[in-house]
C-alpha cells in the first residue's frame, strides 16, 4: 500500500526517478505535488513508505536529486482509488 | 511545387524532414498537449516525460548520459551566447578562429568593447587551423576557447578532439559550435572525460528537427549562468532562480512541439546510423566536386576533400555574381541554395570572397546522385552565360 511521498525540486528529476522506480518494479504513482509538504515541483511520487530506505539508497546510487521522502497518510486514500 | 525542388540549402535548415518528425509533432499536438514541468495532471506529466526522453535521445547521440546537463535553448545562437556571457567578463582573454559564425563573433565583439581580449587563430584558405597556435596563445588570463567544428562557408572539419585535450590540460572551458556537424559527423569529444567542454548544437539542421530547437551538453566542470530568468516550475515558493540544471538555464515554457520533432529527428538518425548518413553525403560531395571541377568559369573553395569537410561547398562563377546565380538556380532550375556571406564575413575573408560572397550548396541524406548530376548540368549551362 502506498503511504509515502517523494518530492522533488525539478520535474526533470521526477521523470528520471519515475523511470528508475519502474525499472526496479517499485509501486509508484505520479501525483500533483502536495503543497503542505513542499512548495517545489508540481509533481511528486507516491510510493510504499516501507521501502523508503532502499529507495533512498537507490536514488543515491542513481544520482537522483530529490527534496524529501516522507510518510504521507493521504497516499492511503489514493491507494484506494488506483 | 515539392515534386521538382532540388533542395541544396541544408546548412541553413534541413529539408525534407523524416516523416516521423511531423508525426511526432502531430501526435503531441493532438494527443498529449500539456505544459511540461508545470501541472500534475497526466497531460502535463506526459509532456515532462517527452522532454526527458528528448534529453535521453540527445544524450545517446552525443554519448553523454548526464541528462541534467543537457539544456535546451531556442537555437544554437542562444546556447553560444549563454556560454560566452557566462564565462567571459571585461579583461578576460578568449581564443577563437578566423572562420567563426557571427553567432560567436558578434557577442565576442560586443564584449571586446567592454574590455575582452580576443585572440583570433588564422585559418588557411583550406579552412584548417594549426593546433599549436591555440596552445601558444593560452595565457593565465585565458577564460575560454571557442571554435566551430566546421565553418558554414568552407566546411573544413577542425580537430576539436585535439583542442579538447589541450584545453583540458590547461583547465580552460572549451565551447564547441557544432551547428554544421551534429548529425553529420561523429563529435569525438567525450564529455565524461573532458569535463571542461560544452557541445552546442542546433536541432533543425543535420539533427533533422524543426526550427526553434537547439541546446548544449555541458561538461561537469563548466559553470554557466542563465541569460533569461523566470518560471521553471520548480522552487515556486522562491522569487529567485533555482540553482540546479537544467532549470537554472531553462526559464519559461519549453518549445515542446519542437522537442517532439527533435526527438523524432535524432531517433531517425540513430536508426539509420551516422556512418551511413556520412557515407552517402560524402558520395554526393565527391560527385559534385568531380563535376564542378571540370566546369570552366567555376572556382571552388575549401579543401575539396570529402574526407576533410562536411557536405557543403562554396563556389563562384567567373561570369556571373552569386546573387544572379542564386536567382537563376531558383527560378530556372528549381535548385534552392544560399548565396552571399552566410552570416560569416570572416570565413569569406579567409577564402578571399569578401564582400561578394559565394554560392553555397549544402547536401543532406535525402539528396540523390541524380540531383547532383542535374545541378552540374545546370551549372555547366550557366557557366556559358555572357
Amino acid at each position: 500500500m502506498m503511504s509515502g511521498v517523494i518530492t522533488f525540486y525539478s520535474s526533470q528529476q521526477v521523470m528520471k526517478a519515475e523511470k528508475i522506480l519502474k525499472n526496479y518494479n517499485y509501486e509508484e504513482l505520479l501525483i500533483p505535488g502536495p503543497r503542505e509538504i513542499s512548495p517545489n515541483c508540481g509533481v511528486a511520487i507516491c510510493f510504499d513508505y516501507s521501502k523508503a530506505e532502499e529507495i533512498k539508497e537507490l536514488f543515491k546510487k542513481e544520482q537522483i536529486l530529490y527534496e524529501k521522502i516522507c510518510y504521507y497518510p493521504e497516499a492511503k486514500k489514493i491507494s484506494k482509488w488506483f | 511545387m515539392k515534386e521538382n525542388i532540388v533542395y541544396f540549402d541544408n546548412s541553413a535548415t534541413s529539408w525534407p524532414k523524416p516523416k516521423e518528425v511531423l508525426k511526432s509533432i502531430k501526435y503531441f499536438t493532438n494527443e498529449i498537449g500539456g505544459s511540461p514541468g508545470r501541472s500534475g495532471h497526466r497531460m502535463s506529466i506526459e509532456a515532462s516525460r517527452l522532454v526527458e526522453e528528448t534529453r535521453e535521445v540527445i544524450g545517446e547521440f552525443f554519448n553523454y548520459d548526464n541528462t541534467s546537463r543537457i539544456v535546451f535553448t531556442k537555437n544554437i545562437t542562444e546556447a553560444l551566447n549563454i556560454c560566452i556571457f557566462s564565462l567571459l567578463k571585461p579583461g578576460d582573454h578568449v581564443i577563437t578562429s578566423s572562420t567563426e559564425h557571427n553567432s560567436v563573433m558578434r557577442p565576442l565583439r560586443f564584449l571586446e568593447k567592454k574590455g575582452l581580449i580576443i585572440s583570433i587563430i588564422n585559418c588557411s584558405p583550406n579552412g584548417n587551423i594549426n593546433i599549436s597556435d591555440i596552445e601558444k596563445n593560452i595565457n593565465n588570463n585565458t577564460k575560454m576557447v571557442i571554435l566551430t567544428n566546421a565553418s558554414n562557408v568552407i566546411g573544413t572539419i577542425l580537430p576539436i578532439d585535439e583542442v579538447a585535450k589541450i584545453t583540458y590540460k590547461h583547465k580552460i572551458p572549451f565551447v564547441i559550435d557544432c551547428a554544421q556537424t551534429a548529425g553529420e559527423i561523429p563529435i569525438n569529444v567525450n564529455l565524461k572525460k573532458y569535463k571542461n567542454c560544452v557541445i552546442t548544437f542546433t536541432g533543425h539542421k543535420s539533427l533533422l528537427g524543426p526550427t526553434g530547437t537547439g541546446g548544449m551538453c555541458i561538461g561537469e566542470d563548466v559553470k554557466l549562468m542563465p541569460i533569461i530568468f523566470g518560471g521553471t516550475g520548480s522552487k515556486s515558493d522562491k522569487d529567485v532562480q533555482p540553482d540546479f540544471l537544467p532549470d537554472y538555464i531553462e526559464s519559461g515554457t519549453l518549445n515542446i512541439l519542437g522537442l517532439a520533432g527533435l526527438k523524432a529527428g535524432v531517433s531517425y538518425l540513430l536508426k539509420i546510423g551516422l556512418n551511413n548518413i556520412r557515407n552517402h553525403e560524402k558520395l554526393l560531395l565527391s560527385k559534385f566536386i568531380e563535376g564542378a571541377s571540370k566546369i570552366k568559369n567555376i572556382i571552388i573553395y575549401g579543401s575539396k576533400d570529402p574526407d576533410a569537410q562536411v557536405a557543403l561547398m562554396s563556389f563562384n562563377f567567373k561570369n556571373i555574381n552569386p546573387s544572379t546565380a542564386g536567382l537563376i538556380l531558383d527560378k530556372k532550375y528549381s535548385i534552392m541554395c544560399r548565396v552571399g556571406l552566410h552570416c560569416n564575413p570572416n570565413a569569406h575573408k579567409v577564402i578571399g570572397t569578401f564582400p561578394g560572397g559565394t554560392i553555397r550548396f549544402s547536401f543532406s541524406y535525402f539528396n540523390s546522385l541524380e540531383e547532383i548530376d542535374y545541378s552540374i548540368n545546370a551549372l555547366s549551362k550557366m557557366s556559358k552565360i555572357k
Side-chain angles (χ1 to χ4, degrees):
Chain A
M1 157 120 26
M2 288 190 289
S3 51
V5 70
I6 312 167
T7 61
F8 298 83
Y9 295 108
S10 161
S11 65
Q12 196 243 343
Q13 294 295 320
V14 181
M15 295 302 127
K16 285 172 87 164
E18 184 202 26
K19 193 174 171 186
I20 284 160
L21 292 174
K22 273 192 204 302
N23 286 347
Y24 282 84
N25 294 319
Y26 284 105
E27 187 186 13
E28 48 75 32
L29 181 70
L30 269 58
I31 62 163
R35 289 290 166 263
E36 66 274 25
I37 292 181
S38 167
N40 284 318
C41 177
V43 185
I45 300 180
C46 273
F47 73 110
D48 176 356
Y49 191 65
S50 69
K51 311 280 186 199
E53 289 311 310
E54 50 193 272
I55 286 174
K56 279 182 195 171
E57 281 301 310
L58 180 62
F59 282 2
K60 196 174 162 188
K61 186 179 128 207
E62 300 285 347
Q63 295 182 307
I64 299 295
L65 182 70
Y66 62 92
E67 184 197 17
K68 288 179 203 166
I69 292 187
C70 55
Y71 183 62
Y72 183 53
E74 194 79 7
K76 291 177 188 167
K77 295 180 199 165
I78 293 168
S79 279
K80 286 177 191 163
W81 282 91
F82 299 99
Chain B
M1 184 176 88
K2 235 161 55 170
E3 294 295 310
N4 302 317
I5 294 284
V6 174
Y7 189 81
F8 284 169
D9 198 14
N10 292 282
S11 288
T13 193
S14 60
W15 186 88
K17 310 292 183 187
K19 64 179 186 318
E20 290 87 343
V21 171
L22 180 60
K23 199 174 156 192
S24 178
I25 295 170
K26 200 172 161 187
Y27 175 74
F28 182 86
T29 307
N30 291 336
E31 309 293 333
I32 301 180
S35 180
R38 300 312 196 259
S39 312
H41 56 77
R42 74 180 84 161
M43 292 165 77
S44 176
I45 288 169
E46 205 52 47
S48 301
R49 212 171 265 140
L50 172 69
V51 173
E52 185 58 14
E53 285 167 3
T54 310
R55 285 190 222 279
E56 286 171 358
V57 168
I58 292 282
E60 185 182 346
F61 188 79
F62 289 107
N63 196 22
Y64 191 45
D65 61 5
N66 191 346
T67 54
S68 301
R69 298 185 75 84
I70 297 173
V71 168
F72 293 121
T73 54
K74 71 173 184 285
N75 46 43
I76 189 170
T77 299
E78 185 181 349
L80 289 164
N81 271 261
I82 290 169
C83 292
I84 290 167
F85 285 98
S86 295
L87 297 171
L88 298 173
K89 59 181 191 307
D92 288 345
H93 173 240
V94 63
I95 298 171
T96 190
S97 88
S98 61
T99 59
E100 299 304 314
H101 191 272
N102 271 346
S103 55
V104 168
M105 289 315 299
R106 285 183 173 174
L108 290 184
R109 292 297 188 201
F110 175 84
L111 287 174
E112 188 179 32
K113 286 191 175 170
K114 298 179 186 302
L116 178 73
I117 300 149
I118 308 173
S119 290
I120 295 179
I121 308 299
N122 286 323
C123 295
S124 68
N126 281 351
N128 278 316
I129 50 167
N130 189 343
I131 291 293
S132 64
D133 287 346
I134 291 182
E135 194 153 23
K136 270 187 242 163
N137 275 276
I138 291 174
N139 63 42
N140 289 338
N141 198 30
T142 307
K143 296 297 183 331
M144 181 202 279
V145 174
I146 183 164
L147 279 186
T148 180
N149 191 184
S151 119
N152 66 323
V153 174
I154 313 171
T156 307
I157 299 161
L158 298 187
I160 52 166
D161 48 343
E162 295 298 320
V163 182
K165 284 179 199 163
I166 293 167
T167 51
Y168 180 71
K169 188 174 82 182
H170 289 274
K171 297 190 170 66
I172 297 168
F174 175 35
V175 177
I176 310 159
D177 170 359
C178 295
Q180 297 298 335
T181 53
E184 186 164 336
I185 59 167
I187 311 293
N188 290 324
V189 172
N190 179 0
L191 290 184
K192 295 299 266 187
K193 180 174 182 190
Y194 297 109
K195 297 177 181 179
N196 63 312
C197 296
V198 182
I199 293 171
T200 62
F201 61 87
T202 174
H204 70 101
K205 294 180 180 175
S206 294
L207 292 183
L208 304 175
T211 49
T213 57
M216 53 188 154
C217 304
I218 307 165
E220 286 173 22
D221 289 349
V222 184
K223 289 184 174 53
L224 298 180
M225 277 177 54
I227 55 173
I228 291 173
F229 297 77
T232 58
S234 50
K235 291 211 167 181
S236 294
D237 60 323
K238 302 278 194 304
D239 64 2
V240 293
Q241 193 77 358
D243 58 2
F244 46 83
L245 290 172
D247 300 33
Y248 189 40
I249 292 177
E250 283 182 350
S251 290
T253 306
L254 284 168
N255 175 9
I256 184 77
L257 288 180
L259 295 181
L262 179 60
K263 182 190 158 201
V266 179
S267 299
Y268 180 84
L269 286 176
L270 290 167
K271 187 179 82 183
I272 301 293
L274 203 52
N275 276 345
N276 292 328
I277 288 168
R278 173 69 173 146
N279 287 339
H280 179 70
E281 293 184 5
K282 275 204 305 197
L283 195 64
L284 299 171
L285 194 56
S286 301
K287 197 165 175 67
F288 180 79
I289 293 168
E290 188 193 333
S293 301
K294 289 179 190 156
I295 302 173
K296 207 180 147 193
N297 274 352
I298 280 189
I299 310 158
I300 299 175
Y301 303 99
S303 72
K304 304 176 193 70
D305 174 4
D307 286 322
Q309 66 175 85
V310 291
L312 66 87
M313 187 54 71
S314 268
F315 61 95
N316 264 328
F317 287 99
K318 289 178 187 165
N319 55 323
I320 29 178
N321 72 20
S323 166
T324 305
L327 184 71
I328 296 169
L329 285 164
D330 176 1
K331 302 293 181 199
K332 185 164 172 61
Y333 295 105
S334 295
I335 296 172
M336 308 298 136
C337 65
R338 184 169 174 191
V339 299
L341 291 171
H342 312 95
C343 297
N344 194 334
N346 291 357
H348 281 282
K349 286 174 187 165
V350 166
I351 59 172
T353 53
F354 183 83
T358 56
I359 303 146
R360 183 188 69 187
F361 279 8
S362 46
F363 311 121
S364 88
Y365 183 66
F366 298 106
N367 289 125
S368 66
L369 289 170
E370 290 71 31
E371 287 177 323
I372 300 289
D373 281 339
Y374 171 76
S375 73
I376 292 292
N377 191 32
L379 296 181
S380 181
K381 285 179 185 158
M382 288 167 68
S383 73
K384 291 168 188 139
I385 295 171
K386 292 201 174 146

